[in-house]
Amino acid sequence: LIMKAAKFNVFTQFRFLFFNSKTLNPLNPNTFRFLTVAAVLPSPEKSPEDQTEEELSSTPKDSADLFKQWGCTDDDISKIFQRRPSLQRMELKLLDSKLKILTELGLPSSDLTRIINCRPRFLDCRINRCLEERLEFFQTLFGTKEILLKAIVRNPSLLTYDFHKQIKPIVAFYEQLGLSRSELVSVLLARPTLIPRTSLDDEKMDYIRRTGVEKGTTMYKHVVALFAISRSETIRQKVANLEKHGFTEDEVLRLFGRSPFLVTLSVDKVQRNMTYILGTMKLSANLVQGNPSLLFLNLETTIKPRYLLGAKLDDMGLVPRVKGPSLLRAMRMTEKRFIKVFINCHPEDVAHELMEYYTGVKRVRRLAESSKKQLYRGFPF
C-alpha cells in the first residue's frame, strides 16, 4: 500500500506540472527537456547511519560547536556567551546563516568577538535586509573593502539600520551640507553613532554658522558632526558654562570653531580647569581663548603639578622657570620632555628634591576621586 501511494503521489505531481501549469508552453519542444523525477521529488535527507564519519564530525552539535567551526577560540566563545547567553539557545540554522554573511564580508573571528562584546544583541538582529543593495552603497561610500570592514567593526549596526529611512537620507543630508564622501567617511569612523544620532534643527544650524567655520576647511566636518550628534540642551549648558568665566556667547562659539572637540568635554572638567587657570594661575580668559588646549589637560596630573613645580623653582631661584610664555610651552610638553627640561637639567641632589616634590603633588587627588565609579557608556565610548 505504501509503494502504491508513493507511485500515485509522483504521478499526481507530474500531472499537475504538465496540465495545470499556466507558465509552461506545451508547443515548445524545449519546455520539458530539463524536467526529471529528481526535480519533482524532494531530496531525502541522509539518516545518521548513512552519513560518513567526516560529515558527522563537521556537523555542529550546538552554538559553541558552530562558533568553533567559524574560528572562535574557547575564550572567545566564553566571552560571547557571557555577553549574550541567548545565543546558546538560538536555532543553529539561523545562527549559521548570519555567520555565513559575516564570513563572506571577510570578518575574522576576533572581530566577531569584539562586535558581540560591544553589541551583544547584534546576532539577534536581522542582518540580511537589503543586504546586497546596502553593501553596494557602502562600497561606493567607503571606497575600499578594508575601510568598509573597519567601519562595520566600529559600528556593526550599519548592517541593521533601516537602509532607506536612515542610512541613505543621512548620507544625502551631510552631502547637502557640503561634506565630501571622504570627509563623511572619516567622520563616520571617528563617530560611529553618527547616523542614528544626527539631528540638526534651526538652532543648531545657527550655532554652526556663528562658529565662523567655512565649508571645505579642515574643521568644518568636525563642527557639523559634533553639533549634529549633541543635544541642543547640552550645547546650551556648555556655552553658558564658559560664559560664566568671562566669555560672550559669540566668543564661545568662535572658540568651538577653532577647537570643535571642546564640545566633547564635560561641563565639570571645563569648570574645574577654568576655575584653576583664572583663579590660581591668574591667567586671562583671552589667553585661554587663544590656547584652548589648556581645557583638554588633566588638572590633577598635568596643570596643577607643573604649575606648583614652577612656583617651587621660582622660590629656589632656579632656572629655567615655568612662567610667562614658558608656562604654556611647559603645559604642552610630554611628561618625559617636561622632566628633562625642568628637573633633570639641575644637579643630581637638586633634581632628586624636585622630582620628589613633583611626584608628591601628582599623587594628590581631589576628594572622593578614588571612589568614583566608572560607568559603562556603551559602544563605542
Side-chain angles (χ1 to χ4, degrees):
L1 288 175
I2 294 173
M3 292 295 293
K4 287 182 180 180
K7 289 179 181 179
F8 178 78
N9 184 40
V10 172
F11 174 78
T12 306
Q13 291 183 33
F14 267 107
R15 183 182 178 185
F16 173 79
L17 284 172
F18 277 89
F19 300 106
N20 293 344
S21 175
K22 295 180 181 180
T23 57
L24 298 178
N25 182 4
L27 299 179
N28 186 350
N30 296 323
T31 298
F32 305 108
R33 178 180 295 177
F34 300 105
L35 270 177
T36 62
V37 176
V40 179
L41 291 175
S43 56
E45 295 184 4
K46 289 184 179 181
S47 64
E49 293 79 7
D50 295 332
Q51 288 182 320
T52 65
E53 187 175 336
E54 184 179 351
E55 288 174 333
L56 284 170
S57 63
S58 64
T59 304
K61 301 173 185 177
D62 50 29
S63 301
D65 235 12
L66 184 58
F67 280 121
K68 279 184 182 177
Q69 289 185 7
W70 200 74
C72 294
T73 64
D74 290 335
D75 187 46
D76 293 336
I77 296 170
S78 176
K79 289 178 182 177
I80 289 170
F81 288 157
Q82 185 178 3
R83 293 291 288 153
R84 196 65 179 172
S86 63
L87 290 177
Q88 298 180 70
R89 302 183 297 274
M90 181 180 281
E91 185 184 347
L92 285 181
K93 186 177 180 181
L94 179 61
L95 181 59
D96 184 51
S97 67
K98 292 182 178 181
L99 290 176
K100 281 180 180 176
I101 291 174
L102 299 175
T103 305
E104 290 168 1
L105 286 175
L107 290 171
S109 60
S110 57
D111 285 340
L112 173 68
T113 308
R114 182 182 173 189
I115 287 172
I116 295 176
N117 281 333
C118 296
R119 293 284 175 90
R121 296 182 57 191
F122 176 65
L123 286 178
D124 285 335
C125 301
R126 292 180 60 187
I127 59 177
N128 60 344
R129 287 182 298 183
C130 307
L131 184 62
E132 291 185 10
E133 188 180 2
R134 184 188 304 262
L135 292 178
E136 185 179 349
F137 179 80
F138 282 153
Q139 187 70 32
T140 305
L141 175 63
F142 291 102
T144 66
K145 185 178 180 181
E146 290 73 21
I147 299 177
L148 170 58
L149 291 179
K150 185 178 179 181
I152 291 174
V153 173
R154 289 279 287 153
N155 184 12
S157 292
L158 287 172
L159 296 175
T160 61
Y161 292 144
D162 192 299
F163 179 63
H164 294 287
K165 293 182 180 179
Q166 271 190 302
I167 295 176
K168 289 184 74 174
I170 293 297
V171 170
F173 178 68
Y174 278 106
E175 288 179 337
Q176 288 174 4
L177 289 175
L179 269 66
S180 65
R181 286 287 174 104
S182 61
E183 289 176 327
L184 184 54
V185 167
S186 67
V187 170
L188 275 169
L189 292 175
R191 308 285 165 191
T193 55
L194 184 74
I195 289 177
R197 291 176 58 186
T198 291
S199 172
L200 276 174
D201 52 18
D202 292 339
E203 183 183 14
K204 288 185 180 181
M205 290 301 294
D206 183 55
Y207 284 146
I208 292 172
R209 180 185 58 80
R210 290 166 65 188
T211 60
V213 181
E214 298 292 334
K215 292 181 181 180
T217 58
T218 306
M219 293 300 174
Y220 181 72
K221 62 184 178 184
H222 298 298
V223 170
V224 171
L226 288 170
F227 275 95
I229 65 176
S230 301
R231 296 184 180 90
S232 297
E233 181 185 356
T234 303
I235 297 172
R236 286 193 293 267
Q237 288 175 353
K238 293 180 179 182
V239 171
N241 183 45
L242 282 167
E243 283 185 286
K244 290 191 302 184
H245 297 286
F247 294 101
T248 65
E249 187 176 73
D250 285 333
E251 285 175 339
V252 173
L253 291 171
R254 285 197 296 270
L255 183 62
F256 287 161
R258 285 195 299 275
S259 185
F261 296 105
L262 283 173
V263 180
T264 65
L265 299 181
S266 68
V267 171
D268 178 59
K269 178 178 176 62
V270 173
Q271 169 75 23
R272 289 188 298 109
N273 281 24
M274 284 297 295
T275 301
Y276 192 84
I277 290 168
L278 301 184
T280 303
M281 298 172 66
K282 306 300 181 184
L283 300 179
S284 66
N286 287 335
L287 188 138
V288 175
Q289 192 173 15
N291 298 273
S293 59
L294 289 170
L295 298 179
F296 291 91
L297 299 175
N298 188 289
L299 179 62
E300 282 75 28
T301 61
T302 304
I303 297 178
K304 189 183 292 186
R306 294 187 183 186
Y307 177 73
L308 292 175
L309 181 72
K312 187 169 181 64
L313 289 171
D314 198 25
D315 291 339
M316 296 173 67
L318 299 174
V319 292
R321 296 183 180 178
V322 187
K323 293 181 70 175
S326 296
L327 175 61
L328 296 175
R329 186 166 61 89
M331 293 298 173
R332 290 193 295 265
M333 287 180 180
T334 62
E335 184 73 357
K336 183 178 179 180
R337 177 152 180 79
F338 177 80
I339 292 172
K340 178 182 177 181
V341 172
F342 294 101
I343 296 177
N344 291 343
C345 63
H346 299 289
E348 187 175 348
D349 56 335
V350 177
H352 181 71
E353 181 185 350
L354 290 173
M355 194 64 194
E356 278 192 343
Y357 175 78
Y358 182 64
T359 306
V361 294
K362 284 194 72 168
R363 290 199 192 102
V364 177
R365 293 288 183 270
R366 63 188 177 123
L367 189 63
E369 177 71 14
S370 60
S371 62
K372 185 166 52 173
K373 292 182 179 179
Q374 297 294 328
L375 297 177
Y376 180 71
R377 298 286 183 181
F379 182 87
F381 310 112

